[in-house]
Amino acid sequence: MDVLQLDVSGRPQAWISAREAAVLYASDGVAWTLGEACQVLRGGIQRTTGRQSRIAVHPIVAVRGAIPSRAWRQVPALSNPKLFARDRLVCAYCGGRFHFDELTREHIVPTSRGGDDSWMNCITACRACNGRKGNRLPEEARMTLMYLPYVPSLHEDMILRGRRILADQMDFLLASVPRSSRLHG
């Protein structure tokens, strides 16, 4: 189980392990939490009380202090797993839903013709449609896009990273994702 780490203002920072979160708790680095405690880590026995130390870890923790938060200014890194998740495993040309292994990263404007490898120039395509389009523009191949590409927000990117996301974490992240996002559908 991963913990969603936020800055004190509620902006997502990273996915961290429960052990990394426990270090934040132990060093008084947690400003606030959301959700019910989802994991309890146990430590050593206190000599004076005879009690075992324990830290209850919440699924969402906001960290105190000035943690560099440049992520909200940057475009999320493009990868096939995130691209295919953004496009919901649906081919932008034929509209078919395919298994991950049957999909390709399709450049609307081919890189050989000056197109860049970016969120706004890449869509998900099945192997057959990608081969049919080849090194042409969609209009030249008489193929139309069934949906348009977009750059995911920071909250969407945290979802697209392919982690096992708990309900509390998903509710928190989706609350800041535009209703028009494919992640809602």
Side-chain angles (χ1 to χ4, degrees), residues 37-116:
C38 54
Q39 190 167 359
V40 176
L41 300 177
R42 300 185 195 303
I45 305 290
Q46 283 187 330
R47 200 176 331 159
T48 57
T49 65
R51 291 186 181 171
Q52 185 176 30
S53 65
R54 44 179 258 138
I55 296 176
V57 178
H58 293 80
I60 303 170
V61 297
V63 179
R64 293 185 200 285
I67 292 184
S69 182
R70 292 179 202 90
W72 62 274
R73 289 185 225 129
Q74 298 172 356
V75 173
L78 176 63
S79 69
N80 283 356
K82 290 196 298 187
L83 176 68
F84 299 165
R86 179 198 73 179
D87 296 346
R88 303 184 64 88
L89 302 173
V90 173
C91 175
Y93 294 117
C94 70
R97 187 174 176 89
F98 295 88
H99 187 268
F100 184 91
D101 297 334
E102 301 169 309
L103 296 171
T104 62
R105 181 187 305 191
E106 162 61 16
H107 294 85
I108 298 168
V109 177
T111 54
S112 63
R113 295 179 67 176
D116 56 352

Side-chain angles (χ1 to χ4, degrees), residues 30-41:
V30 175
W32 50 271
T33 64
L34 286 175
E36 294 294 319
C38 54
Q39 190 167 359
V40 176
L41 300 177

